[in-house]
């Protein structure tokens, strides 16, 4: 039986630790719970928010609608020759899934270690880190269509994956609720150490022929050194996307700022390091009231304790303005703002 609650604090359901309230709140443990929920047409007519780990949201006010907390659990795998298919419930913790795969020597997800959040949110955002994106290991997902109350399967080609984008953030936004995700991995590891920081960390560890476990540990160490623990300092990880600019604009930038940090991003496209841009504007480690940027990574906005979401949003706007004024580059927020 579903337990619908009213006026629920979301402080413990978002990694910024913002104390706002949901008008209505429900936990979903099974796909059939969604069907039961939407038998009542009331929930079709008010604002809804599907919440996983709460690691990619910034609440600036109370949510005057229904918060659906996904708690569908379970991990299964099936081996087919050298291929492995791993399916996980939307409510599973992302890093616990990565650890499950690395522990079973299922290769492909090790570069995505220690990313906060839930499995169900991973395709929505096409999460990525250190040279790998979700789409690189994605096979399909099951999703509940709210209007028809039916389960639909989305293969990779139907998801419209882009840089931190998918159809679930675009044309199909608020129409589907992901219930499980299936990944295609391999028993034959092809480790990806192209990201410079991984190479350096492995070298520091004296490892020249790394296993996927070695890569996972290296990535985890890098993330720990750069990103604060949300249980200690409220944050949502990287607050901004790394901006992508055309080659001509990059050449002009390079002439003025020879040290600009960049990466290839496709034909005539260059990805800039948002953290570097922000740091050059003097924001790294800066404290503004109860908020600020993290001392080790300017890309991360933090709640030093008691900050309101509106304060953090205002700080992000100041950062966007200063980066544009200095570099002519527009930063986009990666975090979803409500």
């Amino acid at each position: 039986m579903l337990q619908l609650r009213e006026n629920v604090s979301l402080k413990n359901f978002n990694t910024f630790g913002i104390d706002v309230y949901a008008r209505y709140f429900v936990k979903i443990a099974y796909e059939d719970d969604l069907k039961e929920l939407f038998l009542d047409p009331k929930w079709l007519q008010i604002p809804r928010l599907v919440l996983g780990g709460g690691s990619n949201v910034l609440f600036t006010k109370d949510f005057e609608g229904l918060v659906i907390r996904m708690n569908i659990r379970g991990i299964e795998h099936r081996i087919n020759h050298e291929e492995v298919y791993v399916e996980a419930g939307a409510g599973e913790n992302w890093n616990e899934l990565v650890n499950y795969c690395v522990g079973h020597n299922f290769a492909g997800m090790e570069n995505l270690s220690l990313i906060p959040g839930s499995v169900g949110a991973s395709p929505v955002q096409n999460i990525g880190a250190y040279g790998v994106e979700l789409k690189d290991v994605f096979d399909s997902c099951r999703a509940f269509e709210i209007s028809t109350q039916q389960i639909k399967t989305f293969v990779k080609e139907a998801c419209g994956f882009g840089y931190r984008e998918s159809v679930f953030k675009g044309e199909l936004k608020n129409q589907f609720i992901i219930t499980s995700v299936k990944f295609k991995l391999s028993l034959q590891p092809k480790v990806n150490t192209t990201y410079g920081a991984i190479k350096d960390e492995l070298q520091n560890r004296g490892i020249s022929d790394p296993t996927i476990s070695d890569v996972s540990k290296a990535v985890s160490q890098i993330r720990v050194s750069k990103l604060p623990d949300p249980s200690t300092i409220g944050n949502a990880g990287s607050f901004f996307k790394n901006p992508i600019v055309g080659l001509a604009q990059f050449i002009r930038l390079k002439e003025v700022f020879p040290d600009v940090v960049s990466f290839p991003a496709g034909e005539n496209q260059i990805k800039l390091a948002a953290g570097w841009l922000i740091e050059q504007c003097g924001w790294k480690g800066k404290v503004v009231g109860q908020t600020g940027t993290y001392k080790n990574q300017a890309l991360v906005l933090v709640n030093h304790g008691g900050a309101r979401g509106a304060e953090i949003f205002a700080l992000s706007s100041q950062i966007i303005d200063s980066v544009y004024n200095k570099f002519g580059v527009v930063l986009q927020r990666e975090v979803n703002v409500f």
Side-chain angles (χ1 to χ4, degrees):
M1 188 72 178
L2 287 178
Q3 296 291 319
L4 272 156
R5 299 159 59 196
E6 295 188 42
N7 299 318
V8 174
S9 172
L10 298 177
K11 184 175 183 178
N12 294 327
F13 296 103
N14 73 97
T15 57
F16 262 121
I18 304 298
D19 193 11
V20 295
Y21 282 76
R23 180 71 179 87
Y24 302 101
F25 182 92
V26 66
K27 285 187 179 181
I28 299 296
Y30 305 96
E31 284 185 346
D32 285 347
D33 288 347
L34 289 169
K35 296 179 181 180
E36 179 183 342
L37 176 69
F38 287 103
L39 284 176
D40 185 343
K42 171 182 178 178
W43 308 120
L44 297 171
Q45 298 161 6
I46 67 170
R48 297 179 301 273
L49 171 61
V50 179
L51 198 60
S55 62
N56 199 46
V57 296
L58 173 64
F59 290 108
T60 59
K61 56 184 181 295
D62 290 341
F63 190 79
E64 297 296 335
L66 172 66
V67 170
I68 301 171
R69 166 76 166 179
M70 293 302 290
N71 202 35
I72 298 175
R73 309 304 293 266
I75 302 175
E76 299 177 347
H77 71 262
R78 175 174 60 84
I79 298 175
N80 182 19
H81 301 294
E82 293 181 354
E83 295 176 341
V84 185
Y85 293 88
V86 179
E87 186 167 11
E92 286 288 342
N93 175 275
W94 174 262
N95 194 54
E96 289 180 9
L97 171 65
V98 174
N99 289 340
Y100 175 95
C101 295
V102 171
H104 284 79
N105 206 35
F106 302 157
M109 299 177 75
E110 54 277 0
N111 291 55
L112 303 176
S113 295
L114 219 60
I115 293 178
S118 65
V119 168
S122 62
V124 178
Q125 191 75 2
N126 186 26
I127 61 172
Y130 302 106
V132 175
E133 290 185 320
L134 183 282
K135 66 179 177 61
D136 300 325
V137 293
F138 180 89
D139 178 77
S140 60
C141 68
R142 287 170 61 86
F144 176 84
E145 186 171 23
I146 295 172
S147 63
T148 65
Q149 298 175 30
Q150 299 296 313
I151 296 292
K152 181 177 178 179
T153 297
F154 285 83
V155 296
K156 183 190 296 188
E157 292 72 23
C159 291
F161 288 128
Y163 176 55
R164 303 297 176 267
E165 294 289 345
S166 73
V167 293
F168 303 110
K169 282 184 72 175
E171 59 193 271
L172 298 183
K173 185 176 182 178
N174 297 327
Q175 296 180 41
F176 286 86
I177 299 173
I178 294 173
T179 59
S180 67
V181 186
K182 184 184 291 185
F183 305 89
K184 185 179 180 181
L185 307 176
S186 176
L187 293 177
Q188 296 298 318
K190 294 179 182 177
V191 296
N192 182 344
T193 60
T194 55
Y195 200 92
I198 298 179
K199 287 183 179 179
D200 294 342
E201 180 63 28
L202 290 170
Q203 188 174 12
N204 291 339
R205 293 168 177 247
I207 297 171
S208 57
D209 186 20
T211 64
I212 62 171
S213 178
D214 293 328
V215 172
S216 176
K217 290 175 182 176
V219 167
S220 297
Q221 179 56 41
I222 295 165
R223 294 187 70 90
V224 167
S225 69
K226 289 186 176 182
L227 304 175
D229 183 346
S231 66
T232 304
I233 305 175
N235 74 94
S238 299
F239 196 91
F240 301 98
K241 299 178 183 179
N242 288 322
I244 295 175
V245 300
L247 183 59
Q249 183 180 0
F250 174 72
I251 291 172
R252 292 194 298 271
L253 270 173
K254 188 80 170 172
E255 289 174 352
V256 182
F257 305 100
D259 297 328
V260 61
V261 178
S262 62
F263 312 92
E267 187 174 356
N268 294 322
Q269 299 282 299
I270 304 294
K271 183 185 295 182
L272 305 178
W276 185 88
L277 298 173
I278 297 167
E279 184 174 347
Q280 298 307 302
C281 293
W283 287 104
K284 186 176 180 180
K286 194 166 185 177
V287 177
V288 182
Q290 296 298 315
T291 183
T293 59
Y294 188 51
K295 61 182 180 179
N296 294 339
Q297 174 52 270
L299 190 58
V300 178
L301 306 192
V302 297
N303 177 3
H304 286 297
R308 293 178 294 108
E311 289 181 73
I312 296 172
F313 183 81
L315 174 65
S316 72
S317 296
Q318 292 178 51
I319 291 172
I320 290 171
D321 289 345
S322 64
V323 168
Y324 180 75
N325 291 337
K326 187 177 182 72
F327 297 102
V329 173
V330 178
L331 292 182
Q332 291 183 317
R333 297 175 181 90
E334 184 173 329
V335 169
N336 297 300
V337 180
F338 296 95

